[in-house]
Amino acid sequence: MSFISLIWNSIIMKPMINSLALLYDLLGDNFGLSIISFTILIRLIMIPLTIRQTKQMKKMQELQPKLKAIQKKYPKKDVQTKQKMQQETMALYKEAGVNPIGCLGPLIIQMPIWIGLYRAILKTSPSTPEGFVDLSKYFYSWNASISKIPFNSDFIGIDLVDFVQYAPTPWQFVLPIIVGASMYLQQKFSMSPNTDPRQQQTQQMMLWMMPIMFAIFTWQFPAGLAVYILFSNLIGILIQYYIGGKQPIMLLGKLYLGTTDSRNEYLNKIAETKKNNEENNEEKNEQKIIKENSNGTEDIQRKDSRRSNRRSSKNSRNRSRKSRN
Amino acid sequence: MIHKNLIKASLESLIFYKRAISPYVSGQCNFSITCSEYAQKTISSKGIIKGLFLSIARIIICSLYPIIKRFNLSNKKISLKIFFFFSLLFIICISCTNFSPQGGWSNVVKDTNQEEFYVISDEGRLFQIQFNDQIPMINWSYPEEENGTSYSSPIIRQNSVIGATYKCKGQACQGDIVELDKLSGEVLWKKTIPSKINSNLIIINDTLFVASLNNEKEDKINDASIYMISLKEGAIGEIIGKIPIEGEIWSGIHSYGEENIIVGTMKGMIYSYNVDELLSVKNKKYSEALIFSHKFPHAINSPLAVHNKRLFFGDIAGNFYSIKLEDFKNNQLDKIKILTTNEWIINNPIFLNDEVYLFTLNGDIYVLDFDTNEVKDKFSIDKIVVGDPIILSDASDQKFLIPTEKKGIEIVSNNGFEKGSSLGNYPTDKKLYSTPLIDGRTLLIHTQDGEILFFSIKSRDLIYCLDLNKGSVCD
């Protein structure tokens, strides 16, 4: 346990607290600006990852038809064919250089950052004497900004160390809503028009679940962490604009901010994807009908077997009663 | 050469694993290039460090595969599941973070007339302890159950003892100050203030001064206040004043002269008041009783010590200030002498034969000239020092007993040529945030988790250990 905490402290907590303190010192003793610039730094460091993620997503899209072909190749659902299908899909991924879990990278990397920042923000403004003593252990010996402690955590009327639920009245409701909204927008922008209807469904769910979850989480965060997530999302939107084919502007075009050309382009694209989806759905429906037909006999067989099971269990019960008598 | 050999060794061990272990241990591999093959490739092509790192990462990713396989989900759904799993982990990590106050900073205080000891445990209970046939016993405790926490030492009066504790429910904290009868442990009076109490109390002129951290959200201008509680007969336990202070007081209230108090705050302010004038102030104009105040650039978390009409204190930036009180009063701040140590100073200095012994949080000991504040000598014990050190003087020699955070009470010589060298310690792995107490041949110290350790001064053995929270011998 102590080994884990040692690694955790030296990789995440110490760099985080020190850089927060340094930025606080540099930016004229403003903790809010310190957190915002820290966010920008983190997003800058993670840019290669984000680029890789978008590239992988594009590759995945290109693979969709091939995947479908494999799925068609193995319509049966017994264990052996499934294994074969999985092996083949894995081989396909390998060939294209796609890691199916790779898209999760940025998300999983964000988790320790959130947890670390949550702790770092609370630690930099200790409310107890032992918290104060503890804080001194996190500073590098060369870091002179240590003398700025305790930080002035007031930022546009919000105490950044305090939890959002205790913030002054407009902010305690506004902050979760803004965070949720920014999360929604970022996801909307980073999402690519998908051809697979099943995937689209899950995407839609993610699109709604994530913002709602984060709005609820934010309630229990220190306001500083909410500021981090908010700005991280805003920067994410900006990055998407440069990497992801300038889609956000197209979306904004839909919101009557862009030129007429961009709007038309966007609308055309939407129409195309819709058409594709409809075609896919038709295909799927056909498949379903076939499946139902083939499953019909199996179902009857299953019901029969259930009945026979019940019978046998009844019989056994009767037997046991008899034996008791 | 070493690098090449390492690569060779690791590759050979991988081959061994593939041939001898793998076939019997695991079943079919889920990946078209197995993990061991992947490791072989990467280590031979990318070197030992990068290769090992990559293959470990690969093993981790592969171990996630059963989840995918089990749920048989499309990629997006897997990501959803994994996301929810991590968010659950996230919530657990956040909820297990403990930032609630722990306490246990109270010193053991001895009542010299009665041979009784008093201490406030980390659970906010005040104990009376007495030796009974050389075995320490708890006579009484107040209250019987856990009651928040405490950072302040008890104060002993003629027939009673005063203690302060505080407890928090969410954001709302309340501090309790209580005076108990020494014999029976009964409550004489109790006062509750809507604030944390993070530091020591002091009695001057039959008035109890309590430094508080303001908790009320309305009082935004003042971060803290000093409560004055009357101990005079007729008005005992009544709050007779509340002095507003800029910055939170963490180092306690200190006294100098006959009836002056002085405090330092976390916003770098120093205030000094005359108690007599404070008591006669009308309409809450406490500034009339102010002797001097000044704002320093950094937070002051060290006790303010006055010795031979000179004021000493340290701050968070590691500056140790020394100034004559008169110069401070006359606002001649250019006469202030500053020593920069670059380490946090939160301890009380020790004054000995025209020398000041300064202890920093990281365990450096500075020997300073009393008048000039110049460094005469410097030692280091390289341990975290939170509690105030004390002096142990025998007929022949003189030693410092320095309580360290988790490494026992360090003994440092202050004699001749071995000055500053460590002479061993009183061993314990408990957190020590309080000051040791010398009582005859035994040394007492209160640990952070509510135990009192009794050491034999000469043999340095632990004679006895009393667990206050259990009320019996420690495990």
Side-chain angles (χ1 to χ4, degrees):
Chain A
M1 220 29 218
S2 64
F3 181 67
I4 293 170
S5 68
L6 185 79
I7 287 177
W8 168 258
N9 284 341
S10 52
I11 290 181
I12 293 180
M13 292 307 289
K14 278 189 182 178
M16 219 170 240
I17 288 178
N18 280 283
S19 46
L20 274 177
L22 270 176
L23 290 167
Y24 177 84
D25 201 1
L26 283 173
L27 297 168
D29 297 359
N30 191 324
F31 201 39
L33 286 182
S34 149
I35 288 175
I36 291 169
S37 45
F38 179 78
T39 318
I40 295 169
L41 265 178
I42 291 271
R43 286 308 293 227
L44 277 179
I45 293 167
M46 273 168 50
I47 271 186
L49 254 166
T50 343
I51 292 174
R52 235 187 99 193
Q53 187 202 11
T54 41
K55 273 184 186 168
Q56 288 231 333
M57 272 172 96
K58 270 185 188 170
K59 272 185 193 170
M60 284 281 254
Q61 265 176 55
E62 284 161 15
L63 282 184
Q64 287 300 326
K66 281 186 188 175
L67 277 174
K68 266 199 183 148
I70 293 173
Q71 275 170 10
K72 272 186 187 171
K73 207 169 154 190
Y74 300 101
K76 276 188 188 174
K77 283 206 167 180
D78 51 308
V79 185
Q80 278 189 343
T81 42
K82 249 188 202 174
Q83 247 184 13
K84 264 188 186 174
M85 194 179 92
Q86 269 167 9
Q87 271 178 2
E88 218 162 292
T89 45
M90 287 315 278
L92 190 72
Y93 284 147
K94 270 278 127 59
E95 223 176 275
V98 176
N99 189 349
I101 318 166
C103 324
L104 271 177
L107 206 69
I108 290 173
I109 282 183
Q110 287 263 20
M111 285 289 176
I113 292 174
W114 285 332
I115 296 168
L117 199 65
Y118 176 92
R119 282 160 171 253
I121 286 171
L122 290 181
K123 271 198 166 102
T124 47
S125 308
S127 60
T128 58
E130 61 262 343
F132 196 80
V133 170
D134 191 39
L135 178 59
S136 73
K137 293 172 200 161
Y138 284 97
F139 277 95
Y140 298 130
S141 55
W142 49 263
N143 194 346
S145 4
I146 194 169
S147 61
K148 294 279 178 179
I149 281 169
F151 293 154
N152 174 19
S153 56
D154 198 56
F155 183 61
I156 49 167
I158 316 171
D159 187 1
L160 292 174
V161 179
D162 221 350
F163 294 98
V164 171
Q165 51 187 317
Y166 300 119
T169 18
W171 288 113
Q172 72 195 47
F173 303 112
V174 169
L175 263 179
I177 290 169
I178 301 178
V179 167
S182 68
M183 202 99 201
Y184 177 83
L185 279 180
Q186 198 218 354
Q187 280 205 312
K188 186 104 191 164
F189 289 165
S190 65
M191 239 165 42
S192 43
N194 209 316
T195 46
D196 189 356
R198 246 170 77 206
Q199 286 208 5
Q200 230 182 16
Q201 237 181 11
T202 46
Q203 266 191 356
Q204 281 289 327
M205 206 164 97
M206 283 279 268
L207 188 64
W208 282 107
M209 284 300 284
M210 287 264 285
I212 291 169
M213 259 173 66
F214 265 83
I216 296 166
F217 281 170
T218 310
W219 190 254
Q220 287 153 8
F221 285 160
L225 190 58
V227 168
Y228 169 82
I229 295 174
L230 174 65
F231 275 83
S232 176
N233 288 339
L234 293 181
I235 296 162
I237 294 169
L238 262 180
I239 291 174
Q240 279 301 326
Y241 166 66
Y242 282 108
I243 302 168
K246 314 214 169 178
Q247 232 184 326
I249 288 299
M250 286 186 204
L251 250 178
L252 284 177
K254 196 184 154 198
L255 300 171
Y256 314 108
L257 281 173
T259 58
T260 45
D261 285 346
S262 69
R263 199 189 307 163
N264 288 336
E265 204 181 319
Y266 184 77
L267 288 174
N268 284 338
K269 211 172 185 182
I270 286 177
E272 263 177 41
T273 47
K274 264 192 182 174
K275 256 188 193 172
N276 280 336
N277 285 344
E278 275 165 16
E279 277 170 20
N280 285 327
N281 280 337
E282 275 168 19
E283 272 177 32
K284 257 227 149 164
N285 287 338
E286 277 169 24
Q287 278 184 3
K288 264 186 189 173
I289 292 162
I290 294 165
K291 265 184 199 169
E292 274 167 15
N293 286 339
S294 63
N295 285 345
T297 48
E298 278 177 21
D299 278 353
I300 293 162
Q301 279 176 352
R302 267 184 213 155
K303 275 177 192 170
D304 272 4
S305 64
R306 271 181 215 152
R307 271 178 207 157
S308 62
N309 278 336
R310 270 183 217 151
R311 265 178 223 152
S312 63
S313 62
K314 267 187 185 175
N315 286 341
S316 62
R317 268 182 230 149
N318 288 339
R319 260 174 236 151
S320 59
R321 270 181 206 162
K322 275 175 193 171
S323 62
R324 266 182 219 157
N325 290 337
Chain B
M1 265 312 279
I2 298 165
H3 190 79
K4 268 187 183 172
N5 282 334
L6 267 174
I7 289 173
K8 219 176 179 183
S10 56
L11 286 181
E12 254 156 41
S13 63
L14 273 169
I15 289 167
F16 174 76
Y17 166 80
K18 269 185 76 180
R19 283 185 188 158
I21 302 169
S22 169
Y24 306 104
V25 180
S26 55
Q28 204 190 350
C29 189
N30 291 317
F31 289 83
S32 52
I33 303 177
T34 61
C35 285
S36 48
E37 275 170 7
Y38 180 80
Q40 276 178 335
K41 258 188 182 178
T42 45
I43 289 172
S44 54
S45 64
K46 287 180 178 172
I48 187 99
I49 296 163
K50 214 174 171 184
L52 263 181
F53 181 77
L54 278 173
S55 33
I56 287 167
R58 157 100 185 207
I59 288 166
I60 290 167
I61 289 169
C62 290
S63 57
L64 277 174
Y65 186 74
I67 305 170
I68 303 165
K69 205 174 164 187
R70 194 173 159 193
F71 292 107
N72 189 26
L73 297 160
S74 66
N75 291 319
K76 270 288 164 184
K77 268 200 176 171
I78 301 155
S79 62
L80 204 70
K81 285 257 170 177
I82 292 176
F83 172 73
F84 279 118
F85 168 72
F86 272 97
S87 43
L88 200 75
L89 200 83
F90 180 44
I91 294 166
I92 291 166
C93 273
I94 282 175
S95 58
C96 70
T97 337
N98 186 15
F99 288 102
S100 57
Q102 286 165 348
W105 291 50
S106 162
N107 297 338
V108 183
V109 183
K110 190 186 177 188
D111 183 1
T112 40
N113 303 328
Q114 306 291 330
E115 293 293 319
E116 287 157 353
F117 301 93
Y118 296 92
V119 69
I120 307 176
S121 77
D122 60 324
E123 291 185 352
R125 297 164 65 191
L126 206 161
F127 290 85
Q128 189 192 56
I129 298 156
Q130 201 169 24
F131 276 101
N132 201 344
D133 286 339
Q134 299 202 326
I135 293 170
M137 303 282 277
I138 296 169
N139 278 350
W140 51 258
S141 70
Y142 172 86
E144 291 297 323
E145 265 132 41
E146 198 181 331
N147 180 38
T149 188
S150 176
Y151 294 95
S152 33
S153 307
I155 303 180
I156 294 169
R157 297 186 77 206
Q158 190 83 42
N159 298 313
S160 59
V161 57
I162 294 176
T165 62
Y166 80 88
K167 55 189 163 200
C168 292
K169 268 183 189 169
Q171 291 292 88
C173 295
Q174 69 169 52
D176 290 331
I177 303 147
V178 66
E179 182 164 7
L180 305 168
D181 187 64
K182 267 186 195 171
L183 270 179
S184 59
E186 279 172 8
V187 182
L188 297 176
W189 58 266
K190 187 178 174 183
K191 198 84 208 168
T192 303
I193 56 171
S195 159
K196 294 177 184 175
I197 302 166
N198 258 3
S199 54
N200 279 331
L201 326 174
I202 197 168
I203 297 176
I204 294 173
N205 227 344
D206 274 342
T207 310
L208 178 69
F209 290 87
V210 183
S212 73
L213 282 67
N214 271 14
N215 202 34
E216 299 138 289
K217 288 275 165 185
E218 307 92 59
D219 201 357
K220 270 186 182 167
I221 311 143
N222 307 307
D223 309 285
S225 40
I226 301 174
Y227 282 88
M228 301 198 298
I229 296 172
S230 169
L231 298 175
K232 281 174 189 146
E233 268 182 54
I236 198 159
E238 270 180 30
I239 295 173
I240 52 172
K242 189 181 166 190
I243 312 163
I245 298 286
E246 188 191 336
E248 298 179 337
I249 302 167
W250 284 44
S251 55
I253 304 175
H254 309 276
S255 67
Y256 67 92
E258 289 284 293
E259 44 192 25
N260 301 314
I261 56 164
I262 187 162
V263 292
T265 77
M266 294 299 273
K267 280 191 180 165
M269 290 296 295
I270 282 191
Y271 293 92
S272 176
Y273 289 97
N274 183 286
V275 174
D276 246 6
E277 286 175 33
L278 270 179
L279 292 173
S280 58
V281 151
K282 279 166 193 167
N283 294 332
K284 294 184 179 177
K285 285 182 181 167
Y286 295 111
S287 54
E288 286 172 6
L290 192 71
I291 302 168
F292 57 80
S293 74
H294 185 71
K295 188 167 176 125
F296 288 89
H298 301 294
I300 297 165
N301 193 16
S302 82
L304 299 150
V306 176
H307 191 77
N308 277 354
K309 292 177 183 173
R310 230 173 210 288
L311 173 68
F312 296 89
F313 62 93
D315 67 11
I316 292 309
N319 300 317
F320 188 64
Y321 300 88
S322 156
I323 187 169
K324 269 187 184 171
L325 276 171
E326 261 181 42
D327 293 338
F328 211 146
K329 268 180 219 167
N330 301 332
N331 218 5
Q332 292 175 309
L333 289 167
D334 51 322
K335 288 192 179 171
I336 211 160
K337 283 171 180 129
I338 305 172
L339 167 81
T340 309
T341 63
N342 290 327
E343 279 171 60
W344 286 10
I345 301 164
I346 64 169
N347 291 344
N348 228 340
I350 289 178
F351 302 101
L352 253 186
N353 332 318
D354 286 347
E355 280 172 343
V356 185
Y357 290 81
L358 172 68
F359 302 85
T360 68
L361 183 65
N362 287 346
D364 283 358
I365 307 165
Y366 288 84
V367 186
L368 308 173
D369 188 83
F370 186 83
D371 292 314
T372 59
N373 209 24
E374 273 164 8
V375 183
K376 279 182 165 178
D377 224 334
K378 189 194 161 190
F379 321 109
S380 180
I381 58 166
D382 209 19
K383 281 160 194 155
I384 289 165
V385 183
V386 178
D388 289 335
I390 54 166
I391 308 167
L392 172 68
S393 352
D394 292 351
S396 57
D397 57 15
Q398 208 170 46
K399 298 162 192 161
F400 290 115
L401 303 185
I402 307 169
T404 62
E405 195 188 29
K406 272 183 183 172
K407 292 184 174 151
I409 304 171
E410 192 77 12
I411 308 164
V412 173
S413 168
N414 189 29
N415 261 15
F417 62 91
E418 45 169 34
K419 189 171 181 170
S421 57
S422 174
L423 301 173
N425 65 355
Y426 295 96
T428 172
D429 55 357
K430 300 275 182 182
K431 279 186 183 173
L432 303 178
Y433 289 156
S434 64
T435 304
L437 175 75
I438 297 167
D439 178 48
R441 288 175 194 169
T442 45
L443 183 74
L444 286 77
I445 190 151
H446 177 215
T447 67
Q448 192 271 324
D449 57 354
E451 288 175 2
I452 295 185
L453 308 177
F454 298 79
F455 288 102
S456 157
I457 287 182
K458 221 171 190 184
S459 70
R460 297 179 193 173
D461 293 330
L462 185 69
I463 314 168
Y464 201 83
C465 171
L466 186 65
D467 192 327
L468 295 174
N469 298 326
K470 276 191 201 162
S472 59
V473 191
C474 316
D475 297 329

